[in-house]
Amino acid sequence: MGIFISDGQSSVLIDGLHTKYGEDYLFPTPELVSNIKNNLKPDAILFTHNHGDHFSPELSLDYMISNTEAVLFGPNQVTDNFTEFGDRISSISTKDYTKQSGNVGNIKIKALKINHAGKRHIAKQNVGYIVTINDKNILHVGDTNWLEEINLFEQLDLQKESINIAILPYWMLIQDDAPLLIKRYINPETVIATHISPRIKEKELSTLKNRYPKTYFLTELKQRIQL
């Protein structure tokens, strides 16, 4: 589920250090984890929540030890694993939808609570990020959905953020009025769909691609998009 964002000088990795969680989820191979740690070396590792297809405490600890200038962002359910790193850890409050700002080099990061999808995950602290890099505002929402029953996206007030790129789990594109909701509540220039199972039916994926011809669909490890 990981996303690596870079302008060639600074970089962040979102939900990119995790292990195998099930057959419905891609996960980084040991070779890819080694490449992240030793070559890509993101300046910040960001986590939306502590599900096993998004976050590994062991891999994250190893990364923080190996890259002594790196910082880590996440909700308390993530950051409570890393109290020994002091001010290299930024805990994102999930008490309300207040946007919380930080900087990593020339990268600006806004973080905010965005509820996890599904009633069985109601206690899961899920946060989203707006990463500003190279004058582009990139939104990552973690594992949410439209959650219209709580007017989630009205409360998030993302229209004011001038989002250039929205990274959304593919299920947010499925419902009939999804194109209208994307336009109304986010209004991005570009959409990237992620969290796509390697076992998704070809017909389902083709239908989505035909419906959203300008959307990028992340279906492979190390897939690259240049925008």
Side-chain angles (χ1 to χ4, degrees), residues 130 137-139 158-159 161-166 186-189:
I130 301 169
N137 296 321
I138 303 171
L139 171 70
L158 294 172
Q159 277 277 14
E161 299 296 333
S162 301
I163 301 299
N164 301 104
I165 301 167
I186 305 174
N187 195 29
E189 298 170 5

Side-chain angles (χ1 to χ4, degrees), residues 172-184:
M172 291 183 70
L173 280 61
I174 291 175
Q175 67 185 62
D176 291 343
D177 60 346
L180 294 176
L181 296 176
I182 293 170
K183 178 71 174 177
R184 179 186 304 159

Side-chain angles (χ1 to χ4, degrees), residues 4-13 39-44 63 69-70 104-108 131-135 226:
F4 179 71
I5 301 170
S6 175
D7 66 355
Q9 296 181 328
S10 301
S11 60
V12 301
L13 178 69
N39 298 313
L40 296 178
K41 295 182 178 180
D43 301 291
Y63 185 82
E69 299 298 319
V104 179
N106 66 338
I107 302 172
K108 296 179 181 178
V131 176
T132 301
I133 185 168
N134 200 24
D135 296 322
Q226 185 168 347

Side-chain angles (χ1 to χ4, degrees), residues 31 34 73 77 87 99 146 153 184:
E31 292 77 16
S34 177
F73 287 70
Q77 289 174 350
D87 60 5
K99 297 179 178 73
W146 294 109
F153 277 82
R184 179 186 304 159

Side-chain angles (χ1 to χ4, degrees), residues 90-127:
S90 292
S91 296
I92 310 306
S93 173
T94 55
K95 292 181 179 180
D96 56 36
Y97 300 108
T98 301
K99 297 179 178 73
Q100 300 145 72
S101 298
N103 293 290
V104 179
N106 66 338
I107 302 172
K108 296 179 181 178
I109 297 172
K110 283 186 182 179
L112 70 161
K113 171 185 175 179
I114 301 181
N115 303 62
H116 197 291
K119 291 182 179 180
R120 67 191 180 99
H121 299 306
I122 195 168
K124 187 64 60 178
Q125 297 172 347
N126 185 79
V127 301

Side-chain angles (χ1 to χ4, degrees), residues 49-82:
H49 62 294
N50 72 346
H51 275 156
D53 55 328
H54 295 259
F55 167 67
S56 162
E58 294 80 14
L59 292 181
S60 303
L61 176 63
D62 182 58
Y63 185 82
M64 294 293 286
I65 292 172
S66 299
N67 292 273
T68 58
E69 299 298 319
V71 297
L72 182 151
F73 287 70
N76 287 103
Q77 289 174 350
V78 167
T79 60
D80 284 350
N81 293 275
F82 305 104

